[in-house]
Amino acid sequence: MSARLLRAARMAVVVLLVAAPGLLEAQSVVQRGAAVPEGVALRLWIPAGSVEVRHWTRDSVDVKATLAPGSQLLGNVSGGAGKYSVESLSPTATDFPRADIVLTVPVGATLWVKSTTAAVSVVGGRGQLDVLTVTGSVSVRNATGVVTVESIEGDVTLDSISGLVRVRGGSGAVKVNNVTGRSVITLVRGSVEVNAGRAAESVVPPGRIETVSGSVTVRGRMGDEDQLTIVTHDGPVDVSLDPKSIPQVTAIDPPQPEAFNALVKALGAPNSSARLVIDSFKGTLNIRPIGGIR
Amino acid sequence: MTYCNHLDARLEAYLAGALGPAECEALEEHAAECARCAPILEERTRVSFELARELPPPASVRAGVVQGLGARRPARVTSLITRRIVPIAAAAAVLLFFGVARPRTKAAMLRDVALTNSHQLAVSRADPAFATLAQAQLELRAARDAAAPDARARVDQALIRMSEQEAELRRLIREFDQ
């Protein structure tokens, strides 16, 4: 073997030794499955990355996690309950444990998902769903049942949900589309946008929207007999209503009563038993029929 | 009013330790003389410290203290520490105790440890919401003093709701206390 070849071989060994830890730390994929009853209760704790929850009609759970270097998936399902968590391999790690998870569960599963920064996406399901996050975005669509989202700063989108929707949080924006049932939204700084669905029979969900400084935008038809209460401190309120169903509008001590009364008058006489109550300490109020003033 | 608006815009950066020394000084000087801004700054600083009390010291600090306690130093070094450094440290501690240290410095410490775990991130990210609640409560209390008796009930209700929101946020933060 020539001296040049020997040098090259030595270099290759050195390069391998240097690169080995990096190669060992590459992403890993873990997949686990288990047979469970349809109403299984699952808890998932994922600090960073993302989780996509899917539902199927089988009586089993499937979890596929693409783990970042230094992270591991712990937990299992036993009987009617289970818990998975993404954790660091090293107790001295300073980064959040991270994974991209696809979790497939029975449609009737009860889920509790906790994320620090991880994005949470849930599609389908008719069991109870609770999501808790610091900054991760949360998206839930095509679900039935009780959906509760608590977010300190993450944005929340709820689309096509039938049941009770509860959102509590600090600064994230909340968008609610096509919710049939009832919604209770309580924020501090976050803005709230509520839209009825596109279908002719879709209505704005009754309930309560409360935010201190965030804006509130509501657009659509109010259902007969429904009541919607909007409360802000200085957040502006903008309501666009279907003129075919004008509710009884009440504003509690509005900041500019003459202007508000003019808007209500322009809206037209109530032609349904629905009630809209607005209570804002000093936020601007705007209320109008969809399509402009008649 | 122009500087008041400036304070509103810069308050978060100030508390996060992101402003330069000159900007900090200008902001503090203004707050000291402005009847509107002084209580806002005081309240916000109070909230930051209350949150700071919830934070455990970073692991690196704890480790450093434990290591420091266990270390054995040569007699000469010990003597130097006893005669020179301890009195200076004690004086600094007294100054800090009486509030000579600027809130910015303490706020900057908050920021430095804010990203070390989920709980601390939650504390840090909830801070603007607490600030908004504090500001709104100040406004409501001022309005309550000037309101007619029948209007006070409405203000009281709003204050109760905001206290409940504060409690909810604190509960939410505790959920991330591992």
Side-chain angles (χ1 to χ4, degrees):
Chain A
M1 189 182 287
S2 71
R4 183 177 290 180
L5 202 58
L6 199 61
R7 274 203 301 275
R10 278 181 188 153
M11 282 299 290
V13 169
V14 169
V15 167
L16 270 175
L17 285 172
V18 170
L23 291 171
L24 289 173
E25 282 193 353
Q27 284 190 336
S28 59
V29 178
V30 173
Q31 186 156 17
R32 293 178 194 166
V36 294
E38 195 201 339
V40 63
L42 280 173
R43 294 169 78 89
L44 173 64
W45 164 221
I46 173 169
S50 67
V51 57
E52 183 183 338
V53 179
R54 300 171 183 168
H55 291 83
W56 59 15
T57 52
R58 299 179 199 172
D59 290 345
S60 59
V61 166
D62 181 80
V63 56
K64 183 181 178 185
T66 305
L67 296 157
S71 300
Q72 60 182 329
L73 179 72
L74 299 178
N76 57 32
V77 185
S78 173
K83 180 180 176 184
Y84 292 105
S85 62
V86 179
E87 298 187 12
S88 293
L89 284 165
S90 163
T92 57
T94 52
D95 293 341
F96 289 127
R98 172 181 293 272
D100 294 314
I101 290 180
V102 177
L103 175 66
T104 311
V105 298
V107 287
T110 295
L111 281 176
W112 184 89
V113 180
K114 183 164 120 178
S115 126
T116 304
T117 65
V120 179
S121 167
V122 180
V123 181
R126 55 170 185 258
Q128 185 174 320
L129 172 67
D130 286 85
V131 181
L132 195 66
T133 185
V134 178
T135 65
S137 64
V138 179
S139 165
V140 183
R141 60 189 167 92
N142 300 333
T144 301
V146 180
V147 175
T148 304
V149 180
E150 296 184 293
S151 163
I152 290 178
E153 206 183 53
D155 293 343
V156 179
T157 303
L158 305 173
D159 198 349
S160 301
I161 292 169
S162 177
L164 171 62
V165 160
R166 290 187 293 223
V167 183
R168 286 188 283 265
S171 306
V174 175
K175 195 169 181 179
V176 174
N177 293 317
N178 193 27
V179 166
T180 308
R182 185 176 164 78
S183 69
V184 180
I185 300 165
T186 309
L187 304 178
V188 178
R189 291 160 55 95
S191 62
V192 183
E193 184 182 329
V194 177
N195 296 303
R198 290 184 181 171
E201 68 275 13
S202 294
V203 297
V204 170
R208 183 180 176 90
I209 301 169
E210 184 171 343
T211 175
V212 176
S213 65
S215 62
V216 177
T217 307
V218 176
R219 184 180 171 86
R221 183 168 71 87
M222 284 190 67
D224 286 344
E225 310 290 333
D226 285 351
Q227 175 167 329
L228 178 63
T229 303
I230 300 171
V231 181
T232 79
H233 177 74
D234 55 6
V237 178
D238 190 341
V239 181
S240 302
L241 293 165
D242 186 339
K244 290 175 191 160
S245 180
I246 304 292
Q248 297 173 34
V249 181
T250 310
I252 300 169
D253 199 10
Q256 295 172 311
E258 295 83 11
F260 183 77
N261 290 338
L263 286 172
V264 173
K265 195 176 175 186
L267 190 65
N271 55 13
S272 85
S273 302
R275 291 194 66 204
L276 174 63
V277 179
I278 302 174
D279 180 358
S280 182
F281 181 68
K282 60 176 191 175
T284 57
L285 308 182
N286 195 5
I287 179 165
R288 58 181 169 230
I290 293 170
I293 294 170
R294 289 172 297 172
Chain B
M1 196 62 190
T2 307
Y3 200 91
C4 292
N5 291 338
H6 177 71
L7 183 134
D8 290 343
R10 308 296 288 166
L11 188 58
E12 294 311 321
Y14 171 80
L15 288 162
L19 291 188
E23 277 188 293
C24 283
E25 204 167 315
L27 194 143
E28 284 161 1
E29 279 176 8
H30 169 76
E33 293 167 359
C34 176
R36 174 189 174 276
C37 297
I40 295 173
L41 191 64
E42 189 184 332
E43 179 70 6
R44 290 291 291 106
T45 308
R46 184 186 65 76
V47 169
S48 289
F49 285 121
E50 280 183 5
L51 288 169
R53 274 202 292 271
E54 292 187 9
L55 298 177
S60 57
V61 173
R62 283 200 301 263
V65 170
V66 171
Q67 195 179 9
L69 286 172
R72 299 174 69 91
R73 296 182 181 84
R76 226 178 98 193
V77 175
T78 307
S79 169
L80 179 70
I81 289 171
T82 311
R83 284 189 288 109
R84 297 280 171 84
I85 297 176
V86 168
I88 291 168
V94 169
L95 288 172
L96 282 167
F97 181 79
F98 286 104
V100 173
R102 290 144 55 103
R104 176 185 176 273
T105 310
K106 295 169 187 173
M109 285 167 64
L110 267 179
R111 181 204 55 199
D112 292 343
V113 299
L115 298 176
T116 53
N117 70 28
S118 295
H119 177 242
Q120 287 159 354
L121 182 69
V123 169
S124 152
R125 293 307 177 97
D127 204 32
F130 282 117
T132 298
L133 284 166
Q135 168 73 34
Q137 284 168 327
L138 277 173
E139 290 176 7
L140 285 172
R141 286 194 188 104
R144 187 186 184 282
D145 294 341
D150 57 335
R152 283 183 190 165
R154 182 185 169 219
V155 175
D156 286 342
Q157 281 179 354
L159 283 167
I160 290 168
R161 281 199 307 270
M162 286 180 191
S163 297
E164 288 170 351
Q165 281 188 290
E166 274 186 342
E168 277 292 306
L169 269 177
R170 288 184 198 283
R171 181 191 59 76
L172 195 49
I173 289 169
R174 281 197 297 275
E175 292 278 352
F176 290 92
D177 192 2
Q178 299 170 59

